[in-house]
Amino acid sequence: MALGMTDSNIKVLLADDDELFLESLRTLIEGQPELSVVAAAHNGLEAIELADQMSPDAVVIDLHMPVVDGVTAVARLRRDHPSLCLIVITGDADRSLHQAAVTAGADGVLEKHDLERRLVERLAEVRS
């Protein structure tokens, strides 16, 4: 991607109820020239509403969130936005939970300890 093509950046919506983690995620993503964070949600319902308003290319969403949990939010986002790249992040190593997220429509599940390297790689593939 050529420099100066900011209008064609991959627009990312973040959703996590942990404010500190959300900020570190925003810093990580904003540090990539082809990615930009368009909004941040603090619960699953807010993620659904912001996706409707902002039309992001990708959503990075935590599994454990208040109001609407991550799996339910992923299912709704997948239904309403079929082409959205949906990346689930979790600190939970429970494989059945990861599988539930994939079944609901997630494109991938990343554990928070392995996040940085794999998230940037995965988001960079959105348009390829």
Side-chain angles (χ1 to χ4, degrees):
M1 185 178 291
L3 290 174
M5 293 179 62
T6 52
D7 58 333
S8 63
N9 273 9
I10 296 165
K11 297 182 305 219
V12 183
L13 167 64
L14 304 179
D16 198 311
D17 61 327
D18 179 338
E19 192 63 49
L20 284 172
F21 187 76
L22 203 55
E23 281 313 305
S24 66
L25 208 50
R26 180 191 296 273
T27 302
L28 172 67
I29 291 170
E30 290 286 358
Q32 304 301 311
E34 71 280 12
L35 304 175
S36 62
V37 175
V38 292
H42 297 90
N43 63 61
L45 181 59
E46 196 180 358
I48 292 164
E49 291 169 346
L50 284 168
D52 290 342
Q53 293 165 24
M54 306 299 295
S55 300
D57 300 304
V59 175
V60 179
I61 186 167
D62 188 21
L63 273 186
H64 295 290
M65 283 198 299
V67 188
V68 174
D69 69 271
V71 173
T72 304
V74 163
R76 175 72 184 275
L77 288 164
R78 176 57 67 217
R79 189 194 76 199
D80 294 351
H81 307 276
S83 64
L84 196 58
C85 174
L86 282 168
I87 306 293
V88 168
I89 53 174
T90 183
D92 195 327
D94 182 349
R95 294 286 171 220
S96 63
L97 195 57
H98 296 191
Q99 189 54 52
V102 171
T103 302
D107 292 303
V109 177
L110 303 178
E111 288 186 43
K112 288 183 177 180
H113 66 83
D114 191 30
L115 189 70
E116 190 166 322
R117 176 181 57 81
R118 293 188 55 212
L119 180 62
V120 170
E121 285 173 5
R122 188 67 186 81
L123 287 173
E125 295 168 3
V126 169
R127 292 226 178 91
S128 54

